[in-house]
């Protein structure tokens, strides 16, 4: 008899991810999905929002997670949630973990026959792990998209400066023309400088919040030009070329190291896939071995080696560009 429990676990975990994404889109609308032609800030303004109110809401969303690092459970999510710019508040995310854990527990109760303690543990892992996976994917996607958009945004600033616009107007043009996620970020910079904040400080704060080296270059270039003068258009034109070159080099390094990355994932994932496959074909295959007192320590040792393999392989291919 073939056991379907591993497949059920996978299906429930996918359902948890779909549920949190669906709730996110329902609550905040499609403008939060980063794939619209009009960025979220402009859409909020178009719906009648006051410029100051929109700025306050976006600023709150973009800074709320790092302010909640003191929460024990939430501390491991704060940095990634900040980079992903999750509109959920920290308390809402924690509530989502509880709700998803409860839903997973109900689904496990209906679809499996495992004991209550195991169901509860797996449900909590699915609830917390689902939120962490969802936030991590969004953070990686947003960081990658900002990196891809930045060279074009800087070149648009250069063209604006060369036709006579001041730098603040060039940033405002980028905020109108560039879609999310960079469009809303630049819109916030435009609004904050309009209310009196220094442009260099605003760019530096954005770079630190996004942990973007290219944004740090932009902030430094603007700050130096403000203090010592110079042709900002030429400076930014050179910066755009540097960012594009870094981006090409990063892609090349990613292609070169892809084999090692997937080898590490395969070596760590194959034993788990083999375990699932054996359990599907012969559910009673490990019954005798499980009675041994060495079974649990051996499983823990194997799990430790698999995790260590991922860490070592990741450190070997983690090349800074």
């Amino acid at each position: 008899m073939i056991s379907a429990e591993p497949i059920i676990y996978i299906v429930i975990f996918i359902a948890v991810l779909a549920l949190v994404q669906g709730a996110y889109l329902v609550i905040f609308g499609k403008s939060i999905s980063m794939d619209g032609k009009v960025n979220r800030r402009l859409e909020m303004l178009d719906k009648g929002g006051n410029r100051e109110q929109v700025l306050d809401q976006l600023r709150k969303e973009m800074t709320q997670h790092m302010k909640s690092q003191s929460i024990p459970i939430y501390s491991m999510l704060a940095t990634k949630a900040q980079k992903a710019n999750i509109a959920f508040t920290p308390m809402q995310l924690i509530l989502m973990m509880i709700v998803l854990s409860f839903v997973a527990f109900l689904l496990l109760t209906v679809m499996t026959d495992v004991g209550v303690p195991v169901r509860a543990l797996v449900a909590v892992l699915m609830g917390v792990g689902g939120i962490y996976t969802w936030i991590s994917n969004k953070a990686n996607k947003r960081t990658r998209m900002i990196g891809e958009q930045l060279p074009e945004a800087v070149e648009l600033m250069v063209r604006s400066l060369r036709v006579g616009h001041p730098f603040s107007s060039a940033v405002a043009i980028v905020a109108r023309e560039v879609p999310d996620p960079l469009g809303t970020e630049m819109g916030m910079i435009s609004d904050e400088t309009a209310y009196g904040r220094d442009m260099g400080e605003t760019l530096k704060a954005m770079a630190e919040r996004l942990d973007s080296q290219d944004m740090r270059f932009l902030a430094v270039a603007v700050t130096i030009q403000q203090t010592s003068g110079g042709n900002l258009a030429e400076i930014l034109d050179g910066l755009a070329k540097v960012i594009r070159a870094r981006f090409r080099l990063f892609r090349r390094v990613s292609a070169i190291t892809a084999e090692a990355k997937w080898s590490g994932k395969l070596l760590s994932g194959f034993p788990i896939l083999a375990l699932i496959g054996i359990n599907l074909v012969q559910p009673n295959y490990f019954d005798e071995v499980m009675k041994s007192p060495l079974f649990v320590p051996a499983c823990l040792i194997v799990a430790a080696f698999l995790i260590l393999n991922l860490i070592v392989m990741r450190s070997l291919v983690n090349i800074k560009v």
Side-chain angles (χ1 to χ4, degrees):
M1 181 179 178
I2 297 178
S3 173
E5 284 191 3
I7 298 176
I8 292 174
Y9 293 152
I10 296 173
V11 171
I12 293 176
F13 186 72
I14 294 174
V16 166
L17 293 177
L19 182 60
V20 65
Q21 177 66 15
Y24 195 59
L25 293 178
V26 168
I27 294 174
F28 296 103
K30 195 175 184 301
S31 63
I32 202 74
S33 61
M34 296 189 298
D35 57 1
K37 294 182 179 179
V38 179
N39 64 58
R40 184 166 180 248
R41 170 180 167 272
L42 293 180
E43 187 166 321
M44 293 169 68
L45 292 171
D46 187 57
K47 290 180 179 178
N50 180 274
R51 185 180 182 184
E52 187 174 355
Q53 293 174 342
V54 171
L55 175 61
D56 288 339
Q57 180 179 344
L58 292 174
R59 183 189 291 151
K60 179 181 178 181
E61 291 177 0
M62 292 181 178
T63 58
Q64 61 185 343
H65 301 289
M66 296 306 292
K67 294 179 179 179
S68 303
Q69 283 185 311
S70 58
I71 301 176
I73 301 177
Y74 193 74
S75 59
M76 62 179 181
L77 296 174
T79 302
K80 287 187 175 294
Q82 186 74 34
K83 291 182 180 180
N85 191 31
I86 300 298
F88 280 137
T89 65
M91 294 309 298
Q92 286 174 332
L93 282 173
I94 294 175
L95 180 61
M96 286 291 295
M97 291 181 192
I98 297 173
V99 171
L100 292 175
S101 298
F102 180 72
V103 171
F105 182 80
L106 292 180
L107 293 174
L108 289 169
T109 301
V110 173
M111 303 176 70
T112 66
D113 297 325
V114 296
V116 175
V118 176
R119 266 182 287 161
L121 177 61
V122 174
V124 171
L125 291 176
M126 284 187 175
V128 177
I131 292 292
Y132 183 85
T133 301
W134 177 72
I135 291 176
S136 180
N137 289 338
K138 280 199 166 294
N140 293 336
K141 178 182 178 182
R142 191 168 187 269
T143 302
R144 184 175 64 253
M145 290 180 69
I146 288 176
E148 293 175 356
Q149 289 177 311
L150 189 57
E152 296 180 4
V154 174
E155 289 175 350
L156 181 56
M157 292 178 192
V158 171
R159 292 194 294 270
S160 300
L161 291 171
R162 284 175 173 168
V163 299
H165 291 292
F167 184 67
S168 58
S169 297
V171 173
I173 292 172
V174 172
R176 290 196 303 269
E177 299 296 331
V178 176
D180 273 339
L182 189 59
T184 295
E185 293 281 355
M186 287 297 180
M188 283 189 60
I189 291 176
S190 177
D191 291 341
E192 288 181 344
T193 53
Y195 287 114
R197 190 176 183 185
D198 180 72
M199 178 67 74
E201 292 180 0
T202 308
L203 288 169
K204 183 178 179 181
M206 174 184 170
E208 295 302 324
R209 177 163 44 79
L210 298 176
D211 192 23
S212 170
Q213 188 63 42
D214 292 333
M215 282 301 305
R216 292 189 183 99
F217 291 156
L218 177 60
V220 170
V222 173
T223 302
I224 291 176
Q225 193 276 337
Q226 286 179 332
T227 55
S228 61
N231 191 333
L232 184 58
E234 294 300 323
I235 294 173
L236 294 184
D237 184 48
L239 177 61
K241 294 177 181 177
V242 170
I243 294 175
R244 285 194 180 278
R246 276 171 48 84
F247 188 72
R248 287 195 299 269
L249 180 59
F250 179 78
R251 286 291 181 90
R252 185 176 180 183
V253 170
S254 298
I256 294 173
T257 59
E259 181 181 357
K261 290 179 181 177
W262 282 104
S263 295
K265 293 177 181 178
L266 178 62
L267 292 174
S268 294
F270 179 77
I272 299 175
L273 294 176
L275 178 64
I276 293 174
I278 292 172
N279 193 47
L280 287 173
V281 176
Q282 186 63 37
N284 302 323
Y285 185 80
F286 292 103
D287 287 354
E288 293 296 326
V289 181
M290 291 175 63
K291 297 177 183 179
S292 171
L294 299 176
F295 179 75
V296 174
C299 289
L300 294 176
I301 292 173
V302 171
F305 274 114
L306 294 178
I307 295 173
L308 181 62
N309 174 67
L310 284 176
I311 295 173
V312 171
M313 293 300 294
R314 184 178 181 84
S315 62
L316 289 176
V317 299
N318 187 23
I319 301 174
K320 301 295 182 182
V321 179

